[in-house]
């Protein structure tokens, strides 16, 4: 039950952020939705792997210790930042410069986490 709900929430998050991410990449003479698609092609696998796994772990942890939703949200943000830092270390190891990617990646991570978290809350309320 939890996995199917999280998969559904991740799917909605991926579809929703596909249309929001281009707003972060507005450039003249550029196809913003193509850039959003490229960014989505990188973020969607993270949403469906790392995001789902950590979200289920955070949910179980918060449920076990009766923690409030704000703590759950903060733990989701921490997991997103860990994921982003892993990506930044990869860029650095491969010879790139992660400075420009970290700010944009942090905005994208916070957006995806917030959308995922609030869709998850709405879906929990609907399923009750």
């Amino acid at each position: 039950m939890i996995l199917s709900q999280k998969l559904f929430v991740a799917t909605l998050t991926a579809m929703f952020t596909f249309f929001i991410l281009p707003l972060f990449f507005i450039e003249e003479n550029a196809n913003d939705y193509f850039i959003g698609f490229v960014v989505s092609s990188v973020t969607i696998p993270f949403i469906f792997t790392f995001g789902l796994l950590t979200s289920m772990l955070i949910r179980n942890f918060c449920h076990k210790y009766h923690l409030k939703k704000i703590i759950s949200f903060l733990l989701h943000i921490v997991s997103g930042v860990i994921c982003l830092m892993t990506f930044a270390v990869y860029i650095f190891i491969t010879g790139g410069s992660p400075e420009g990617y970290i700010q944009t990646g942090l905005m994208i991570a916070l957006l995806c986490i917030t959308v995922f978290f609030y869709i998850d809350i709405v879906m929990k309320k609907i399923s009750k």
Side-chain angles (χ1 to χ4, degrees), residues 4-67:
S4 63
Q5 179 183 347
K6 295 289 184 181
L7 280 170
F8 183 70
V9 171
T11 302
L12 288 177
T13 301
M15 291 185 327
F16 187 73
T17 56
F18 174 77
F19 294 104
I20 291 177
L21 286 178
L23 299 175
F24 290 96
F25 301 98
I26 296 174
E27 297 177 16
E28 291 183 27
N29 301 322
N31 187 349
D32 297 335
Y33 283 101
F34 177 73
I35 296 170
F37 175 74
V38 171
V39 172
S40 293
S41 69
V42 173
T43 58
I44 288 173
F46 281 106
I47 290 171
F48 280 98
T49 55
F50 186 78
L52 278 176
L53 192 71
T54 57
S55 182
M56 289 190 306
L57 291 172
I58 290 168
R59 181 188 183 278
N60 290 336
F61 177 78
C62 290
H63 183 70
K64 181 179 179 180
Y65 293 106
H66 306 288
L67 299 174

Side-chain angles (χ1 to χ4, degrees), residues 1-10 12 51-52 54-64 67-73 76 113 115-128:
M1 176 76 174
I2 294 171
L3 180 61
S4 63
Q5 179 183 347
K6 295 289 184 181
L7 280 170
F8 183 70
V9 171
L12 288 177
L52 278 176
T54 57
S55 182
M56 289 190 306
L57 291 172
I58 290 168
R59 181 188 183 278
N60 290 336
F61 177 78
C62 290
H63 183 70
K64 181 179 179 180
L67 299 174
K68 298 194 182 278
K69 290 178 185 174
I70 188 70
I71 301 299
S72 176
F73 182 63
H76 277 81
I113 291 164
V115 169
F116 183 90
F117 188 77
Y118 283 111
I119 291 175
D120 195 29
I121 288 173
V122 168
M123 295 309 298
K124 284 178 191 172
K125 287 182 180 183
I126 290 173
S127 67
K128 285 186 179 182

Side-chain angles (χ1 to χ4, degrees), residues 9 24 29 36 41 81 83 94 98 101 108:
V9 171
F24 290 96
N29 301 322
S41 69
V81 169
C83 184
T94 58
Y101 297 109
I108 291 169

